[in-house]
Amino acid sequence: MSPNYGDVIVVGSGLSALLTAKYLSKHMNVMVFTKSNKYENNSFLAQGGVASAIADTDTWQEHFHDTVLAGCNHNELNSVELLTKLGPGMLQELMEAGMDFDKDEQGILSLGMEGAHSQRRILHAGGDQTGKRMMQWLHSQISHCVQVVEQETVIKVLTEDDRCCGIKTVNRLGERKSYYASHIVFATGGAGALYSYTSNDPSVNGMALALAYQAGAILTDLEFMQFHPTMLHVNNKVVGLVSEAVRGEGAYLVNDHGKRIMQGIHPLEDLAPRDIVSRAIFQELDRGGKVYLNIENVINFEERFPTISYMCTNQGIPMKNNLLPVVPGAHFFMGGIKTDLNGETSLKGLYAVGEAACNGVHGANRLASNSLLEAIVFSKKLAEHLLNKPMGNCREKLNDPLTKAKSDKPFLPLPAKSELQAMMMKHAGIVRHAEGLQKLKGWLEAYQPYWQEIDRLEVDLSLEETELIFMLQISHLIASAALEREESRGAHCRSDFPQASEAWLQKRIVHQEKIKLLV
Ligand code: SIN
């Protein structure tokens, strides 16, 4: 087999990518591509665990109900049913295969509590190191049978006859290569790094979504970016996540006068859905105040949360004061590449899974710890689907005749990435309004010639410039969607349309690149 050809190409190196690769590798030749190294991704950073109705006292119906309530009825109900119903069994299979989750002294699984859950149903591994432990275990499972290509960034989705059949990559030395496969899976994560305050790895910047869009795949729900309420905030920078599990163990939010800020805002107070907690913090900060997470009630904090304790000590936060300074940061993208329940996108041969995909499971606001479960359930679904699909007829010598008309608009110098991130934070952040979104959209449109002519420009661009152009394009789509949705629902909050509107209930905004012209 040629080194540039596989049965399946998986782009991304997080949990969804590795699980898909693990499930497929027994029967197919799988290549995994990551633009950084295999330990730099959001899954590796995930402190929070896996939500699943695994306890005898719990039911999948209750988990279903909590998911839809947090998602503000924007969820695709079939997706939620699959997630909550199949989750416990698939999790059990992983445990039987050797993945260890935390147990109490009697050997019974320890189940944690997080925001908007009606039951304790969160499994953790190593306290707050769930993502890291799962990733390490998965690498040990696949290292002998899956080729992982590091430091190669996908810069184009290759298509032929309206079918996706490969990817073009560039490495750190600027060398370009093309790879082909019957099935191309995008497990590339979301877009949190478009914002200046984020819990995401810098590589998770939405570029892959723009690539899929340019190739013709439909994107949807782009107006829904979840902000995690508690990012540790030191010297005007966010330095890491303080897991919601800390509030699950009794921590609460106070302002700089020591007043609890969630009292009277929601019956679940500090464990209200994330969008509500983030907005309450945002309002305090907007008034010029500060917000702290008071951890005085958390028993054995350092033992239970070793990663967070280490981070605080490292950042010079005195733990004896029990007050951790926090701000909200972009955390999870509910939108993404539109897929069905099997991960099929609107472009033949291209599939998406995990945060990169949008099958509607999270609605307008993801329920805490549902994303690792999403990875487990939908990676397996996708793998089973691919194993039953005929192989595409991919040829290595693709010609790429699809080019676009040359723009006569002048090219402004590209902005700094930090400028884009600050603009997104300010105008497409926790609370939006038409004026700010229009300003953002107009600012982004000035760079439109770059993404419209990326094919022609590409050879002369550095990798950083190429990434930035795709970040500008996906930001433009996010701003357009946020402007179009004239209501507030879940993570999308418009100060000029503060209520949820019946007219928008279960309506999704979809985006598809114009049909390309053959020249
Ligand atoms: C957290 O631990 O608070 C994050 C987990 C999640 O986003 O589900």
Side-chain angles (χ1 to χ4, degrees), residues 45-51 114 117 122 124 128 199 226 228-230 241-247 274 305 308 331-332 366-372:
L45 298 174
Q47 296 175 4
V50 189
E114 286 184 13
H117 285 275
I122 322 293
H124 288 91
D128 56 9
S199 62
Q226 178 175 82
H228 193 289
T230 55
L241 183 77
V242 181
S243 174
E244 196 158 299
V246 178
R247 274 174 285 133
R274 280 187 186 163
F305 299 107
I308 302 169
H331 182 59
F332 187 89
R366 175 174 65 86
L367 181 66
S369 285
N370 263 359
S371 54
L372 297 189

Side-chain angles (χ1 to χ4, degrees), residues 456-474:
R456 190 173 67 81
L457 298 172
E458 184 219 293
V459 287
D460 297 320
L461 294 168
S462 69
L463 178 53
E464 288 71 28
E465 287 167 332
T466 306
E467 284 211 80
L468 180 57
I469 291 166
F470 286 117
M471 287 169 75
L472 290 162
Q473 182 176 22
I474 194 71

Side-chain angles (χ1 to χ4, degrees), residues 487-517:
E487 68 156 353
S488 290
R489 189 178 295 277
H492 172 64
C493 174
R494 288 277 301 259
S495 58
D496 44 353
F497 294 94
Q499 306 301 329
S501 137
E502 271 297 307
W504 276 101
L505 183 64
Q506 283 286 326
K507 291 237 166 73
R508 310 203 114 81
I509 301 174
V510 296
H511 311 255
Q512 187 168 27
E513 173 75 305
K514 286 183 214 75
I515 304 300
K516 293 173 185 172
L517 293 173

